[in-house]
Amino acid sequence: MADQVTIKLATADDAPAVLDFLRQAATESDAVLIPHLDQVTDDQERQNIDLINRFDDCVIMLAMLGSQPIGIVTVMAQGDRPTAGELGVVVAKNYWRNGIGRLLVEEAQYWFATYSSLDSLVLTVFASNTPAIALYQRCHFVQTGTTVEDGRNVLQMEYRR
């Protein structure tokens, strides 16, 4: 499956498809937590993507199967740690366990090492999401802490090259 998927940088033209994808993914998994997603307009998302593409400390890439997005990876500089980028990965449920998540993480790691101005790549993942944790560990992320969000245990992880 992963050999049929292409990865591309998101552009403003992708905004409607990105929003549709994320809204659908939010109904498929309780791990997709994007505040106010239902209130974001296509125009706002176009502006967000344009803004993100102007900086070297954040990126949005899409996993495409033909013209359909089936996954997304983001790296966003953290407000409280501006040299740390937070990794976010979402894959459509119909494509789980087909190597799409790993492909997205590896593309983000390549971007981080080659193009970004960031010093570290971090993420949080629900402790109950064992498939994602195993993926991140295979991709050289190590646990650096734990916290609780919305009453759920969360692991904090960091990429170690």
Side-chain angles (χ1 to χ4, degrees):
M1 166 68 57
D3 59 339
Q4 301 169 357
V5 173
T6 59
I7 304 296
K8 67 175 256 151
L9 283 173
T11 67
D13 291 340
D14 295 313
V18 166
L19 286 175
D20 288 346
F21 168 77
L22 290 173
R23 288 178 179 134
Q24 179 60 39
T27 69
E28 297 172 344
S29 170
D30 64 354
V32 179
L33 303 176
I34 303 171
H36 315 294
L37 181 61
D38 58 331
Q39 298 169 12
V40 178
T41 67
D42 289 353
D43 285 338
Q44 289 170 325
E45 188 65 8
R46 278 185 185 89
Q47 292 173 5
N48 290 339
I49 292 171
D50 270 342
L51 183 63
I52 288 166
N53 285 339
R54 291 185 193 148
F55 296 97
D56 64 358
D57 61 357
C58 48
V59 70
I60 300 176
M61 291 182 275
L62 302 173
M64 304 292 292
L65 187 58
S67 62
Q68 181 68 31
I70 61 168
I72 189 168
V73 63
T74 61
V75 178
M76 300 293 163
Q78 295 185 309
D80 59 336
R81 288 179 56 198
T83 62
E86 184 167 11
L87 179 80
V89 179
V90 178
V91 175
K93 187 174 185 175
N94 287 343
Y95 300 96
W96 289 356
R97 295 177 182 81
N98 281 294
I100 309 305
R102 184 176 186 118
L103 182 65
L104 288 165
V105 171
E106 288 173 350
E107 285 292 326
Q109 289 170 321
Y110 178 80
W111 172 85
F112 166 71
T114 308
Y115 299 107
S116 85
S117 62
L118 300 167
D119 294 332
S120 61
L121 189 59
V122 299
L123 62 86
T124 58
V125 59
F126 289 115
S128 59
N129 193 347
T130 53
I133 294 166
L135 165 66
Y136 298 136
Q137 289 172 334
R138 285 191 305 273
C139 291
H140 308 286
F141 283 84
V142 297
Q143 183 177 338
T144 58
T146 59
T147 188
V148 176
E149 291 181 22
D150 296 326
R152 298 167 69 187
N153 292 328
V154 173
L155 303 182
Q156 298 164 325
M157 302 183 84
E158 184 171 344
Y159 175 52
R160 303 280 166 87
R161 298 180 238 193

